[in-house]
């Protein structure tokens, strides 16, 4: 296995673990990962992108906004253009989620500070 294959195998293991899939690492799967990484090169997707998109999609599935098939390998990794669209939505969700968490934390701190120092 060359260095490229090792990286692809790592991505594949990460994908399988996070989607609860058991997909063998075949030559076709290796090619799909190569194409996924080559999309928009040199700004290739990262393992962090993969993790974020899967987390976002799992949240969407849990909220009944998406069908579980959106996590299928051929759908998600086999279609880099679609993955790129999902990544944009997931990044926006992540920013909003963190902004909301920050505002909640600030409000809690302000209310506890007002009680302590008021």
């Amino acid at each position: 296995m060359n260095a490229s294959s090792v990286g692809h195998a790592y991505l594949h293991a990460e994908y399988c673990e996070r989607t609860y899939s058991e997909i063998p690492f075949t030559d076709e799967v290796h090619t799909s990962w190569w194409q996924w990484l080559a999309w928009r090169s040199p700004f290739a997707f990262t393992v962090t992108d993969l993790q974020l998109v899967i987390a976002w999609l799992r949240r969407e599935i849990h909220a009944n906004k998406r069908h579980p098939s959106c996590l299928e390998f051929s759908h998600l990794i086999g279609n880099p253009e679609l993955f790129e669209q999902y990544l944009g939505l997931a990044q926006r969700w992540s920013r909003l989620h963190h902004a909301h968490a920050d505002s909640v934390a600030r409000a809690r701190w302000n209310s506890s500070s007002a009680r302590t120092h008021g």
Side-chain angles (χ1 to χ4, degrees), residues 49 70 82 96:
D49 296 337
C70 67
L82 181 62
L96 292 172

Side-chain angles (χ1 to χ4, degrees), residues 2-19:
N2 63 28
S4 170
S5 295
V6 171
H8 296 165
Y10 171 76
L11 283 168
H12 189 66
E14 188 72 19
Y15 166 83
C16 288
E17 181 179 330
R18 291 183 181 269
T19 61

Side-chain angles (χ1 to χ4, degrees), residues 18-33:
R18 291 183 181 269
T19 61
Y20 308 111
S21 301
E22 293 183 21
I23 301 170
F25 189 69
T26 63
D27 288 340
E28 293 80 16
V29 167
H30 179 261
T31 300
S32 292
W33 282 113

Side-chain angles (χ1 to χ4, degrees), residues 22-97:
E22 293 183 21
I23 301 170
F25 189 69
T26 63
D27 288 340
E28 293 80 16
V29 167
H30 179 261
T31 300
S32 292
W33 282 113
W34 182 86
Q35 291 170 341
W36 184 82
L37 282 170
W39 186 258
R40 305 280 193 222
S41 204
F43 306 106
F45 302 128
T46 66
V47 69
T48 304
D49 296 337
L50 179 66
Q51 293 165 344
L52 177 63
V53 168
I54 291 172
W56 173 72
L57 285 172
R58 291 178 57 80
R59 186 174 188 90
E60 293 279 294
I61 292 166
H62 183 71
N64 291 320
K65 294 180 181 178
R66 298 209 182 257
H67 191 271
S69 64
C70 67
L71 288 172
E72 289 178 2
F73 185 83
S74 61
H75 181 80
L76 191 59
I77 305 307
N79 189 344
E81 186 173 5
L82 181 62
F83 183 89
E84 186 174 50
Q85 292 171 11
Y86 284 168
L87 179 58
L89 293 168
Q91 288 169 333
R92 186 170 60 210
W93 165 76
S94 180
R95 282 191 300 273
L96 292 172
H97 178 71

